[in-house]
Amino acid sequence: MNPYKLTLLAILAALAIVGRYAFVFIPNVQPVTSIIIITGLILGPSAAVILSLLITFVSNMLLGMGIWVIWQTVAWGIIGLISGIIGNVFTRISFPFIVFFSIFCGYFYGLIISLTNYQISGEFRAYYFSGLLFDTNHAIGNAVFMMFFYPFISYLVKKYAADTFAKKNADR
C-alpha cells in the first residue's frame, strides 16, 4: 500500500464512521455499505476489505461491541470483495447497475447479519423475515447514499490520482 491509498482509506473510513454515527437514529440507514462498495469499485478488493475491517472495528467502539461485530465484518468484507472483483473485471460500469448492486447489498447484509441469531438460538427464518423491513431501510439508504457519494468520491479520487501522477512526472 502506498501513502496515497492509505490516505484515501483513512478519509473514507472517517467519512463512513461519522456517517454511521450521524445516522444512528434511523434504523439500518448508514453510508458504510455504499462507501465500501465505492472503495471496492475504484481501489480494488483488498482496499475494500481493509476498509470494512477498519470501519467495523472503530465504529463499533463508538456504538458498542457484541457478537454481531463478527457478522458485520464478514458481511461488509464479502461486499467489499465482490465490489472489488466487479471493479477489476469490468472497465466501465453503468451507474444504474451500481445503484442496483447497492440495493442488493442491503438485503445481502441483512441475510448475513441474520446468521447472528442462528448462531445464538438456532433459529433463522423468523428472525430473517422479521428483519426484512430493516433490510429494506438499508437497501433504500444504500441507493440514496450511492447516488450522493459515488459521483463525488469517484471524481475526487480520479482527480487526485491524476494530479498525483502529473506531479510525479513533473518532478522527474
Side-chain angles (χ1 to χ4, degrees):
M1 285 253 178
N2 59 22
Y4 162 72
K5 215 172 203 181
L6 288 173
T7 303
L8 280 176
L9 289 178
I11 291 169
L12 292 170
L15 180 65
I17 292 164
V18 168
R20 185 171 184 211
Y21 195 73
F23 286 95
V24 75
F25 62 93
I26 305 173
N28 282 27
V29 175
Q30 54 192 351
V32 175
T33 307
S34 297
I35 292 173
I36 290 171
I37 292 169
I38 294 167
T39 302
L41 292 172
I42 296 173
L43 299 177
S46 61
V49 170
I50 290 170
L51 184 67
S52 68
L53 293 170
L54 182 63
I55 291 169
T56 305
F57 181 71
V58 174
S59 65
N60 282 318
M61 285 178 58
L62 296 170
L63 299 172
M65 294 281 189
I67 191 70
W68 60 85
V69 174
I70 296 166
W71 295 105
Q72 285 178 325
T73 305
V74 169
W76 280 326
I78 291 171
I79 290 169
L81 185 67
I82 293 170
S83 302
I85 291 169
I86 290 171
N88 285 344
V89 170
F90 300 104
T91 56
R92 190 136 176 96
I93 305 167
S94 70
F95 187 64
F97 173 80
I98 295 170
V99 173
F100 175 75
F101 181 68
S102 70
I103 291 169
F104 167 78
C105 287
Y107 288 105
F108 177 76
Y109 176 86
L111 176 72
I112 299 295
I113 293 299
S114 295
L115 294 173
T116 302
N117 193 55
Y118 181 72
Q119 178 187 15
I120 295 169
S121 69
E123 293 295 321
F124 175 75
R125 283 181 294 193
Y127 185 79
Y128 176 71
F129 289 122
S130 66
L132 278 176
L133 179 61
F134 295 100
D135 297 343
T136 302
N137 286 350
H138 191 178
I140 292 169
N142 285 349
V144 171
F145 285 122
M146 189 59 75
M147 286 189 262
F148 179 73
F149 283 133
Y150 184 78
F152 178 69
I153 292 173
S154 65
Y155 171 77
L156 289 178
V157 169
K158 290 172 185 172
K159 181 166 177 30
Y160 184 75
D163 291 346
T164 304
F165 182 74
K167 184 178 177 186
K168 282 183 182 178
N169 287 338
D171 292 340
R172 290 182 183 192

